[in-house]
Amino acid sequence: MKILSIETSCDETAVSLVEATGDFPNAKYQILGNALFSQIDIHREYGGVFPSVAKREHAKTLVPMLKKSQNANLKSQNYSEEVKNDVRVLLEREVGMYEELIEYVENYEKPAIDLIAVTAGPGLEPTLWVGINFAKALALLWNVPVVPVNHMEGHILASIFKTNDDKSGNTLHSNGGLADLQFPSLALLISGGHTELIKMNDWPLDVARSKQHYEKIGQTRDDAVGEAFDKVARLLGLPYPGGPEISRAAGEARSANLPEFHKLPRPMLDSDDLDFSFSGLKTAVRYAIEGKELSEEDKQAVARDFEDAVVEVLLKKAERAVNKYDIRSLILGGGVSANRQIRDTFASFFASEHPELNLYLPDLKLSTDNSIMIALAGHARSSKALAPTIEALSPLVASGNRSLSEE
Ligand code: KG4
Ligand code: ZN
């Protein structure tokens, strides 16, 4: 099955073409095309993601990303006025997108795809809508069904997925390794919008639901961990997105063995639950530096102190959940799982304290938002695809707060 996947939940515009041979989770996957445009440079000016700007950029970039992911031959194609009119109505609010899309589909060979997978949530509603309407338009034009995908399920699958880069930079693999996952699993999802612990009891296959596949057993009560990284970076005058900047600065502090700048709190470390809180930690950083003239080294030390506090809390809560639920596989997913210190600390801790546990860390290229993860989740959910008619597709809507435990 060939899957065209689309991701626009935040500030990455991504389109991929993935071939799955076999049924989920036993399939072999081959990535035939992968195009991603990051809007980071555009948002950096504002110090964060501006939904209306992000929406406009997605609308401008989706057709070029589609074209790049397909590598299709030139061949003129005809579409009925009726279908074109439906597509025009669908794309009414995305300036210029209708014309650009029609020009593309009329001049390039229609791809042999079986399914379109698109992120329906969670994410920013205005940006989700652009991807969803684009997916619906392609479905109508090419007569291909569409499956809505949960972004967080995508992060989980991308973390489990084993990649194997060939020399051309395409990821090929004999087996995505998904079928090897041992349950119960625990996913610690850490991104710009989420911090949650999800217990996975089984794959979300379309069998009669005897038990809940995903259970949310812990979550942040305020800021997401990625948000805390971004806000602390801002306090230190580092550019957006702050995660990689903090990580780099903290690395410098560790190599230089800089002394502690300020003892930061470990919020909710010993609370009797699996919840998190990061807004107090951010405030503690603010108080620690307020009114001070910080040298480069001071900033590096603060970044390291902050990172140490985050890592300690994440690790302790993950360990508590692993023990409580007899977890067999621990999955780190979401953009913050690209963090070196988090990866190294989890790897060494669980290797020594829980050698029986399988730890899954995403390939760095798949840890932040991408569309390969959406193709994997689309494959897992392919039986839920909606037929390519306006009526059948109408339930597919953007849902900013779509929770994984309700899937
Ligand atoms: O999953 P993602 O790409 O988008 C969301 O779904 O939110 O995550 C983005 C978040 C941002 O907050 C970014 O600062 C953070 O991931 N991030 C990192 C690192 N790379 C990205 N945080 C810490 N260390 C990193 N190396
Ligand atoms: Zn994400």
Side-chain angles (χ1 to χ4, degrees):
M1 162 185 279
K2 280 192 188 153
I3 305 166
L4 175 79
S5 56
I6 300 163
E7 157 64 35
T8 63
S9 70
C10 188
D11 58 352
E12 255 86 43
T13 315
V15 182
S16 311
L17 183 61
V18 173
E19 180 161 22
T21 310
D23 291 334
F24 185 89
N26 297 298
K28 296 176 177 184
Y29 295 92
Q30 186 166 3
I31 294 157
L32 305 175
N34 186 22
L36 183 143
F37 174 77
S38 171
Q39 304 174 3
I40 280 175
D41 290 339
I42 296 155
H43 296 296
R44 192 169 283 133
E45 275 182 59
Y46 306 95
V49 180
F50 244 72
S52 59
V53 175
K55 174 183 154 67
R56 191 190 66 206
E57 290 300 317
H58 284 304
K60 209 160 83 184
T61 320
L62 272 168
V63 175
M65 290 300 110
L66 172 69
K67 189 170 174 183
K68 197 169 162 200
S69 72
Q70 300 298 305
N71 211 357
N73 294 318
L74 277 166
K75 188 174 173 197
S76 67
Q77 310 276 328
N78 287 315
Y79 294 89
S80 74
E81 283 309 315
E82 197 188 335
V83 167
K84 287 205 278 191
N85 202 45
D86 287 344
V87 171
R88 182 180 300 125
V89 172
L90 207 51
L91 299 181
E92 216 163 43
R93 285 192 239 152
E94 325 307 344
V95 181
M97 203 177 185
Y98 169 76
E99 291 74 16
E100 210 186 343
L101 178 60
I102 293 298
E103 170 163 3
Y104 174 74
V105 296
E106 286 189 332
N107 289 296
Y108 287 87
E109 202 168 22
K110 171 181 179 271
I113 53 173
D114 306 288
L115 182 67
I116 297 171
V118 63
T119 306
L124 303 170
E125 297 244 354
T127 69
L128 289 166
W129 270 117
V130 186
I132 288 171
N133 286 332
F134 186 66
K136 288 182 179 180
L138 287 175
L140 296 177
L141 290 161
W142 289 341
N143 196 29
V144 178
V146 184
V147 65
V149 163
N150 183 297
H151 182 85
M152 303 317 286
E153 184 166 82
H155 274 304
I156 292 179
L157 296 179
S159 296
I160 305 164
F161 187 63
K162 293 220 165 22
T163 59
N164 182 355
D165 280 357
D166 73 353
K167 289 190 201 67
S168 66
N170 283 323
T171 313
L172 303 162
H173 21 76
S174 50
N175 177 334
L178 296 167
D180 301 333
L181 186 72
Q182 310 264 309
F183 296 100
S185 304
L186 177 71
L188 171 57
L189 297 176
I190 41 180
S191 71
H194 287 77
T195 300
E196 50 193 28
L197 281 164
I198 302 284
K199 180 171 170 251
M200 289 172 76
N201 299 311
D202 202 348
W203 287 119
L205 301 173
D206 193 26
V207 286
R209 254 186 175 209
S210 52
K211 54 184 170 180
Q212 209 185 351
H213 303 126
Y214 295 121
E215 279 174 65
K216 195 188 286 179
I217 57 171
Q219 62 187 313
T220 181
R221 298 198 179 163
D222 40 60
D223 292 355
V225 63
E227 195 179 347
F229 268 94
D230 296 338
K231 287 177 175 169
V232 168
R234 208 167 168 170
L235 291 172
L236 295 175
L238 300 171
Y240 175 84
E245 298 287 335
I246 294 275
S247 176
R248 196 172 309 126
E252 298 288 342
R254 283 190 196 94
S255 329
N257 215 356
L258 297 178
E260 183 176 77
F261 184 88
H262 187 87
K263 179 81 198 154
L264 293 171
R266 269 66 177 149
M268 296 183 74
L269 187 70
D270 297 310
S271 68
D272 208 15
D273 53 36
L274 298 169
D275 284 348
F276 304 89
S277 164
F278 292 104
S279 99
L281 180 56
K282 166 204 69 193
T283 308
V285 171
R286 182 150 59 80
Y287 287 142
I289 65 175
E290 212 156 52
K292 294 189 183 142
E293 192 68 51
L294 298 183
S295 67
E296 274 313 296
E297 289 199 337
D298 291 340
K299 289 184 187 178
Q300 292 165 356
V302 173
R304 191 258 339 264
D305 296 350
F306 166 75
E307 211 178 53
D308 284 348
V310 169
V311 175
E312 195 177 327
V313 175
L314 292 178
L315 186 70
K316 175 117 185 240
K317 295 281 169 161
E319 190 202 7
R320 185 175 294 158
V322 162
N323 290 330
K324 182 167 178 191
Y325 295 101
D326 284 323
I327 295 297
R328 300 176 70 192
S329 318
L330 174 61
I331 303 157
L332 251 56
V336 183
S337 66
N339 183 274
R340 177 55 49 207
Q341 187 66 10
I342 296 176
R343 295 168 79 95
D344 292 351
T345 310
F346 271 69
S348 66
F349 177 82
F350 284 102
S352 77
E353 301 302 314
H354 290 268
E356 73 296 347
L357 182 98
N358 292 303
L359 176 67
Y360 289 88
L361 299 172
D363 185 302
L364 282 178
K365 272 187 276 179
L366 295 185
S367 57
T368 47
D369 290 349
N370 64 84
S371 47
I372 306 295
M373 68 190 222
I374 303 309
L376 295 172
H379 188 225
R381 301 280 177 173
S382 53
S383 63
K384 298 263 191 284
L386 305 167
T389 66
I390 296 210
E391 302 73 48
L393 291 171
S394 66
L396 169 46
V397 294
S399 52
N401 303 315
R402 205 155 169 246
S403 173
L404 194 50
S405 46
E406 285 153 29
E407 290 288 329

